[in-house]
């Protein structure tokens, strides 16, 4: 009995969750302890076991929940405990069902603190309370993002660097992905591309400012793709985009000037007007859904690149780190961002990416849970 | 017939048949030389330079050696033909281009032009057509260079060119005063894509950035989403939509605001963020609105980032995306306010659509040195700003779908600031902005309409030998009445509406129909009469004590305005005591006197005053109008009058002989006075003579304008309020006196009288 008391002083009660409820997706990280002793096992209540079993033995939950198995961080030590960190996501639309499940599994009896960040922590706080008798510990999403990001970079991705960049970004032939870590990460411009985009200038773990943001983000890409092509999911949209040709949709400099616009040093291949060809009915009738998806992706990505680059110049920061779930399975965008940063800054700026792109907020929330119980 | 081909076009509801006869559109074409054309995606802008022959009134002194032989008149008035230069700009839909070219070809007689400067995306497409139709060689000019050239030109030459758009304010448009230095500025041109150009001087500019998300994106993406083909229709849809059903707002994510970052709940977090679903239909209107917000915000954000990086606070927006569309001006303004927290204002231009054509024209006219002259917008020949929401004013909308015109007159002199303005960048000539003051607007428009019959009558009477004068006067009446009606609907059509602009518009219209000086005969008669009393008046003033005389001079000067009994002091604004104290001190070095009316005013009011100043040892510069306006004395008339007075009065004679009395033209032909547009020579004289006193007299110059003008030297503003409405506004009665003597702060003197606000 005494032993357990001591334990509970040093680490919080299981289960350990960190949750980031965004505009489109809920990101959930779950720490699965692998060092459970026999006594612990015996003490453990049944529904805690069942949660662990449910989460670790499945890779999909319901129709829309997914565990990103490839991102799992194994044999991690947190708060003196060893375990695996699992990364799970599901649409924010499924939030009511999730809360209902919390109620059904009698989650509130576990006496754990549910640390949540993202706008949904505020929006759904009352639902958690009334539907599932759960109190959320609400956390600022940008604090969590930075904390989580720095942590994952520090512990590395199962022995491999968490970060990567593209070598020769301006040359499609020789452009290669290269791993890297964020040694001396500060200052960095952190561009978080979720449904919308936030751009932060980060000078240290606790010293950062939100420089600006844009409403043209991942939500815009998916929203427009759904309207334009009738697709339903991000995966579908990206799949189409990968097959399309945006130059059928966009008007290029050469479409207007016949070649480069030398007076202003603009290459003929640069996009002069996104969706510019679509002003003409003939062109509208001649393009494919794939072309439209590609154009949407390129438009949104270039715009984010352009704003990020301006912010980097204004803030005098050379390292630009792109994160957020928009970049998931989205090499078209990561390569385009790398290219845009390099080309328009004439090599001054470097774009960096991180493997756990959208999960840092959730990781940061989990760390807050561990921190709150550490300091009595 | 130019207009006949219209029926071939689709019968879109916004296109009403146009009623303008072609000779009203392509005016002065027979003398046109130097053409330029700017062909955009949907509109063609044609520019040409032409000479205009019109009548001017001249005065010539009789030879007084044979005085007996002459009539008892002072001078003779003759009407002469004068040729002046005018720039014409016409904007019409591309659909009319062939008809317009035909018309030009048929009417072009006196030109020896061989080339036409062309710019704009469509220049290439229509090259062959233009060359075939007009027999001119098409010479292509860089689009951006033309745009910047045009922009510099209008910013320099048209007061109230730039404005701030405020959808929910009393007046939608808030015009900016012309800055003495227009550089540096940022021009954000939103065509299919966006170009952000930093302009540092006349010839130095650089494209510092841009974006592919522009008007083409709105149009292209909008057409895909809503199946609506026309740009204008898309904007119509957008103006009716609700973006909140399509966009994901901060409150959709947070349930409220994101307080710690100061992001309000209504802020868009993700454009189209709610449309990522298959089980919902979205209305065309809502999607169009969301798209408009997305693009406007994005452009606004980029513009702010570039403005910040280059430390620029003046940002002008143009291009077809803007082109007077209230919806886009509103969203862009909103975006700029949001991203700069109000530090930078989005500025728009009244003649934004003409910039390319103006620039192309200037490129071709470089050897004519158009930049050596000042130019002025001719209100009689320009259509004015027509950007109101289509629902509010369908009539105007129809006109914008057809032809729009801008005419600029070359002024035969360069106009500059009065060097004595305390702060030229904040100087506003006009006392009342009728664009903002609806009550005052109502009154003055009514006033001018009421006065129209009298003006027409006087115009006819001024040309008794010309039988067609009545017909011309009738045309004048129609034109000016139409202008007044337009201004009632759209007070902002020519920049801020003011009493001055109403007066100037009337003068422009009178000139247009060859009534150069309706008051010439009246002025002549009154001058003649007043001269007869000059010596008597001077003598009776001389008999007074110094002290009495100073007051009498002011009284006489003011009294000249009115025939009734002079109001007792204290006057409505009365700083006579301070002025009197000042007169006891050392004489001024040089006084600049802006004079007003002919007759009694100038001869019996101003001249004795001038005489006293000269006697005190003060040099005097008399500034009078270059051209006629109402019964104001012109420089030509004043030359003759002064000579005649000098013949009677040794003080004036000595003043002229010793060059201590100078007559200079103001550069203006207005009953009002804009101290930021004065003849360069006048400014030079003012500077050379170290002018330390400015005297402004009369309602037009001292009340309607310059009442609040702050000068860097002592100033005296004198007037009698001859309009009961205005007197009432100022807190006085009809024939109240304003005598406002001011000493700039920091200069030792008694404080001036407290002023009642207008």
């Amino acid at each position: 009995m005494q032993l357990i008391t001591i334990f509970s002083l040093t680490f919080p009660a299981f289960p350990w969750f960190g949750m980031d409820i965004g505009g489109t997706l809920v990101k959930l990280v779950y720490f699965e302890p692998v060092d459970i002793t026999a006594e612990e096992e015996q003490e453990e209540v049944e529904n805690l076991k069942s949660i662990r079993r449910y989460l670790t033995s499945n890779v999909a939950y319901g129709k829309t929940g997914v565990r990103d198995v490839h991102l799992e961080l194994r044999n991690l030590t947190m708060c003196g405990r060893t375990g695996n960190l699992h990364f799970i996501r599901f649409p924010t639309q499924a939030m009511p069902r999730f809360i209902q499940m919390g109620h059904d599994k009698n989650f509130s009896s576990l006496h754990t603190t549910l640390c949540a960040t993202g706008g949904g922590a505020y929006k759904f706080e009352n639902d958690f309370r009334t539907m599932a008798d759960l109190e959320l510990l609400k956390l600022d999403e940008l604090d969590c993002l930075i904390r989580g990001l720095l942590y994952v970079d520090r512990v590395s991705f199962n022995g491999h660097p968490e970060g990567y960049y593209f070598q020769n970004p301006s040359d499609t032939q020789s452009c290669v992905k290269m791993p890297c870590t964020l040694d001396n990460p500060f200052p960095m411009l952190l561009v978080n591309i979720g449904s919308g985009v936030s751009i932060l200038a980060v000078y240290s773990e606790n010293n950062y400012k939100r420089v600006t943001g844009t409403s043209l983000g991942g939500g815009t890409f998916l929203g427009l793709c759904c309207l334009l092509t009738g697709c339903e999911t991000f995966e579908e949209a990206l799949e189409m985009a990968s097959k399309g040709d945006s130059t059928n949709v966009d008007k290029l400099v050469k479409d207007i000037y016949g070649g480069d616009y030398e007076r202003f040093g603009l290459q003929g291949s640069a996009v002069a007007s996104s969706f510019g060809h679509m002003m003409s009915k003939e062109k509208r009738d001649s393009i494919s859904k794939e072309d439209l998806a590609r154009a949407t992706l390129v438009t949104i990505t270039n715009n984010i690149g352009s704003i990020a680059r301006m912010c980097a110049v204004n803030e005098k920061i050379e390292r630009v780190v792109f994160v957020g779930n928009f970049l998931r399975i989205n090499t078209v965008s990561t390569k385009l961002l790398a290219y845009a940063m390099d080309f328009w800054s004439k090599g001054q700026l470097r774009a960096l990416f991180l493997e756990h792109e959208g999960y840092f907020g959730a990781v940061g929330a989990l760390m807050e849970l561990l921190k709150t119980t550490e300091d009595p | 017939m130019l207009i006949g081909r219209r029926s071939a076009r689709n019968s879109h509801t916004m296109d009403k048949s146009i009623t303008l006869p072609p000779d009203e559109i392509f005016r002065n074409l027979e003398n046109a030389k130097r053409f330029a054309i700017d062909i955009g995606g949907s509109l063609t802008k044609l520019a040409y330079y032409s000479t205009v022959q019109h009548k001017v009134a001249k005065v010539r002194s009789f030879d007084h050696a044979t005085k007996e032989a002459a009539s008892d008149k002072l001078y003779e008035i003759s009407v002469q033909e004068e040729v002046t230069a005018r720039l014409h700009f016409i904007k019409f839909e591309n659909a009319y281009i062939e008809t317009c070219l035909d018309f030009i070809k048929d009417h072009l007689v006196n030109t020896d032009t061989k080339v036409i400067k062309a710019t704009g995306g469509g220049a290439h497409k229509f090259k062959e057509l233009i060359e075939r139709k007009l027999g001119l060689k098409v010479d292509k000019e860089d689009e951006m260079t033309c745009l910047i050239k045009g922009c510099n030109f209008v910013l320099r030459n048209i007061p109230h060119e730039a404005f701030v758009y405020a959808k929910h304010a009393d007046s939608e448009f808030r015009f900016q005063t012309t800055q003495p230095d227009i550089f540096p500025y940022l021009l954000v041109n939103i065509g299919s894509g966006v170009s952000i150009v930093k302009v540092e001087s006349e010839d130095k500019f650089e494209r510092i950035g841009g974006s592919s998300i522009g008007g083409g994106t709105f149009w292209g993406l909008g057409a895909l989403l809503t199946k609506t083909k026309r740009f204008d229709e898309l904007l119509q849809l957008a103006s009716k939509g609700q973006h909140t059903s399509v966009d994901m707002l901060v409150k959709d994510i947070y349930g409220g605001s994101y307080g710690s970052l100061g992001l309000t709940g209504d802020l868009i977090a993700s454009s189209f963020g709610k449309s990522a679903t298959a089980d919902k239909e979205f209305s065309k209107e809502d999607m169009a609105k969301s798209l408009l917000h997305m693009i406007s915000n994005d452009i606004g954000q980029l513009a702010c980032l570039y403005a910040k990086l280059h430390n620029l606070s003046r940002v002008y927006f143009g291009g077809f995306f803007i082109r007077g569309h209230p919806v886009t001006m509103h969203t862009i303004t909103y975006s700029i306010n949001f991203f700069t927290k109000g530090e930078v204002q989005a500025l728009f231009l009244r003649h934004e659509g003409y910039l390319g054509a103006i620039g192309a024209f200037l490129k071709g006219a470089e050897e004519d040195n158009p930049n050596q002259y000042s130019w002025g917008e001719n209100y009689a020949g320009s259509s004015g700003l027509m950007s109101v929401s289509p629902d509010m004013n369908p009539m105007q909308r129809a006109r914008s779908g057809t032809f729009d015109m801008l005419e600029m007159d070359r002024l035969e002199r360069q106009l500059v600031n009065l060097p004595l303005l305390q702060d030229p960048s904040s100087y506003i000539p006009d006392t009342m902005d009728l664009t903002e003051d609806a009550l005052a607007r109502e009154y003055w428009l009514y006033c001018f309409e009421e006065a129209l019959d009298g003006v027409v009558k006087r115009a006819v009477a001024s040309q008794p030998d010309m039988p067609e004068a009545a017909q011309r006067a009738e045309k004048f009446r129609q034109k000016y009445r139409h202008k007044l009606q337009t201004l009632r609907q759209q007070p902002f059509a020519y920049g801020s509406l003011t009493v001055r602009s109403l007066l100037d518009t009337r003068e422009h219209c009178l000139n247009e129909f060859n009534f150069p000086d309706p008051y010439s005969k009246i002025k002549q008669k009154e001058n003649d009469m007043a001269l007869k009393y000059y010596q008597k008046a001077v003598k009776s003033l001389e008999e007074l004590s110094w002290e009495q005389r100073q007051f009498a001079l002011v009284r006489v000067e003011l009294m000249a305005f009115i025939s009734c009994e002079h109001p007792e002091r204290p006057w409505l604004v009365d700083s006579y005591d301070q002025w009197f104290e000042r007169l006891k001190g050392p004489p001024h070095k040089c006084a600049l006197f802006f004079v007003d009316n002919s007759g009694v005013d100038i001869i019996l009011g101003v001249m004795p005053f001038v005489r006293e100043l000269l006697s005190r040892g003060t040099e005097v510069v008399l500034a009078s109008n270059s051209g006629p306006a109402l019964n104001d004395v012109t420089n030509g008339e004043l030359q003759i009058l002064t000579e005649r007075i000098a013949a009677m009065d040794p003080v004036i004679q000595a003043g002229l002989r010793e060059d201590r009395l100078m007559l200079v033209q103001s550069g203006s032909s207005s009953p009002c006075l804009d101290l930021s547009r004065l003849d360069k020579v006048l400014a030079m004289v003012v500077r050379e003579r170290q002018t330390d006193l400015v005297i402004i007299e009369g309602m037009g110059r001292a009340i309607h304008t310059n009442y609040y003008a702050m000068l860097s030297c002592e100033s005296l503003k004198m007037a009698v309020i001859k309009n009961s409405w205005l007197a009432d506004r100022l807190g006085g009665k009809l024939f109240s006196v304003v005598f406002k003597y001011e000493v700039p702060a920091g200069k030792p003197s008694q404080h001036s009288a407290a002023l009642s606000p207008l």
Side-chain angles (χ1 to χ4, degrees), chain A residues 146-327:
Chain A
I146 293 167
R147 197 180 305 124
L149 182 151
L150 293 172
Y151 174 77
V152 175
D153 180 60
R154 209 157 49 229
V155 299
S156 87
F157 186 9
N158 299 326
H160 301 287
E162 167 68 13
Y164 64 90
Y165 67 97
F166 289 96
Q167 207 166 42
N168 308 318
S170 300
D171 180 0
T172 38
Q173 299 298 311
S174 58
C175 173
V176 275
K177 181 175 165 178
M178 298 292 287
C180 68
T181 54
L182 290 180
D183 305 322
N184 297 322
F186 310 113
M188 69 170 151
L189 195 77
L190 182 56
V191 183
N192 185 30
I193 317 173
S195 313
V197 182
S198 274
I199 299 179
L200 321 175
V202 187
Y203 301 100
S204 76
E205 178 155 356
N206 299 308
N207 180 15
Y208 70 88
K209 65 172 179 186
R210 183 178 188 272
V211 180
T212 189
T214 165
S215 68
L216 284 83
T220 316
F221 164 64
L222 186 55
L224 280 175
C225 267
C226 291
L227 292 173
L228 293 171
T229 70
C231 73
E232 289 180 33
T233 65
F234 184 68
E235 288 77 3
E236 238 183 296
L238 277 183
E239 175 65 22
M240 277 199 279
S242 68
K243 292 180 197 146
D245 180 357
S246 61
T247 62
N248 294 332
V249 178
D250 295 341
K251 212 176 236 185
L252 307 186
V253 169
K254 66 176 174 219
D255 295 326
I256 299 174
Y257 294 98
D260 298 349
Y261 189 8
E262 281 160 26
R263 175 75 180 77
F264 285 143
L266 288 175
Q267 289 183 313
S269 60
V271 183
S273 174
S274 299
F275 287 85
H277 277 321
M278 299 298 93
M279 290 186 276
S280 124
K281 184 169 187 318
E282 281 164 43
K283 288 265 167 72
R284 282 202 294 276
D285 293 341
S286 73
I287 40 99
S288 68
K289 288 181 173 183
E290 286 76 13
D291 293 342
L292 287 172
R294 179 67 166 229
T296 311
L297 187 62
V298 168
T299 302
I300 300 294
T301 306
N302 273 336
N303 190 59
I304 294 168
S306 169
I307 293 172
R309 186 178 61 85
M310 283 304 295
C311 290
V313 176
N314 269 337
E315 300 298 324
K316 300 181 178 61
I317 297 175
E318 288 180 2
R319 182 167 20 197
V320 186
V321 181
F322 292 93
V323 296
N325 266 323
F326 173 66
L327 300 175

Side-chain angles (χ1 to χ4, degrees), chain B residues 434-446 487 491 497:
Chain B
L434 305 182
T435 334
E436 288 177 8
D437 190 335
L439 272 177
R441 177 168 73 236
E442 195 76 4
Y443 170 76
W444 285 111
L445 284 170
Y446 168 80
L487 288 167
L497 182 67

Side-chain angles (χ1 to χ4, degrees), chain B residues 36-38 43-47 88-92 119 146-147 149-151 153-154 158 161 319 323 349-362 377 381-386 402-408:
Chain B
I37 195 161
D38 172 11
L43 293 173
T44 296
K45 281 79 65 176
L46 183 78
H88 296 261
F89 303 97
I90 300 130
K91 188 161 75 179
F92 49 85
T119 188
C146 292
L147 203 61
K149 256 191 165 344
C151 193
F153 186 78
V154 294
I158 304 188
E161 174 62 29
R323 206 122 307 164
L349 300 169
R350 271 171 61 212
H351 299 103
E352 188 275 315
Y354 288 111
L355 303 185
I358 295 173
F361 172 81
L362 292 173
E377 179 177 8
S382 302
S383 311
L385 192 64
M386 279 177 297
T402 53
F403 292 87
D404 186 81
M405 294 182 293
L406 164 66
E407 288 184 9
M408 292 183 75

Side-chain angles (χ1 to χ4, degrees), chain B residues 201-214:
Chain B
S201 71
E202 194 58 51
D203 299 306
K204 192 173 174 213
F205 65 88
E206 186 191 355
R207 184 186 191 273
I208 54 173
S211 167
S212 67
I213 300 185

Side-chain angles (χ1 to χ4, degrees), chain B residues 512-730:
Chain B
E512 199 59 49
F513 295 100
N514 274 324
F515 293 106
D517 192 0
Y519 280 84
S520 56
K521 296 244 160 51
I522 297 169
K523 288 189 287 183
Q524 187 187 34
K525 213 172 108 199
E526 287 179 354
N527 286 335
D528 201 25
M529 187 76 93
L531 263 184
K532 295 196 171 98
Y533 292 95
Y534 179 76
Q535 276 171 309
K536 205 175 142 198
V538 168
K539 188 159 170 277
S540 61
L541 284 165
E542 286 294 302
E543 282 161 6
L544 298 171
S545 69
W546 181 84
E547 206 160 298
Q548 285 173 323
R549 188 165 66 245
Q550 301 316 309
F551 185 64
L553 280 168
V554 168
R555 269 184 63 113
V556 167
E557 153 66 52
L558 287 164
M559 197 139 61
F561 294 112
I562 47 171
S563 45
C564 79
E565 199 164 308
H566 206 274
E568 289 303 309
R569 288 189 64 202
W571 297 317
L572 182 58
V573 176
D574 190 342
S575 35
Y576 177 75
D577 294 343
Q578 286 89 332
W579 169 245
F580 180 68
E581 283 305 311
R582 173 62 187 85
L583 288 178
K584 289 180 187 163
H588 294 93
K589 168 81 180 65
C590 173
L592 169 64
F593 204 138
F594 287 99
V595 301
D596 188 30
N597 296 344
S598 292
V600 178
D601 178 24
I602 182 75
I603 294 166
L604 303 179
V606 175
M607 280 302 180
F609 205 102
V610 168
R611 196 175 184 277
E612 184 74 16
L613 286 169
L614 289 169
S615 310
R616 276 171 61 81
T618 302
E619 293 173 17
V620 179
V621 177
L622 282 181
S624 53
N625 269 2
S626 303
L630 295 176
N631 63 335
D632 290 2
V633 65
T634 64
N635 188 59
E637 290 157 355
L638 191 55
Q639 298 278 359
I640 295 169
L641 294 178
T642 314
E643 267 170 47
R644 290 301 308 277
I645 291 170
M648 300 186 270
D649 184 342
V651 178
I652 300 291
Q653 190 169 49
L656 284 176
R657 192 180 56 235
E658 291 157 18
D659 200 28
R660 292 192 298 116
L661 172 59
M662 257 192 106
L663 308 181
V664 184
Q665 37 184 323
S666 65
S668 154
S669 304
S670 164
C672 294
L673 178 64
D674 179 352
L675 295 176
S676 65
R677 280 168 78 80
L678 293 175
D679 194 310
K680 203 176 176 181
V681 176
L682 175 62
M684 201 183 69
V685 170
V686 162
R687 216 177 277 120
E688 275 173 5
R689 306 235 161 179
Q690 297 169 307
T691 304
D692 53 355
L693 173 66
V694 174
I695 304 172
I696 308 175
E697 62 145 351
M699 284 247 294
R701 292 177 180 77
I703 305 286
H704 290 317
T705 53
N706 300 307
Y707 190 73
Y708 296 122
M710 305 279 277
L711 297 167
S712 59
C713 67
E714 290 170 54
S715 64
L716 199 51
K717 296 165 190 168
M718 294 185 272
V720 175
I721 320 279
K722 293 176 291 178
N723 170 297
S724 53
W725 183 88
L726 186 61
D728 193 52
R729 256 282 165 111
L730 289 160

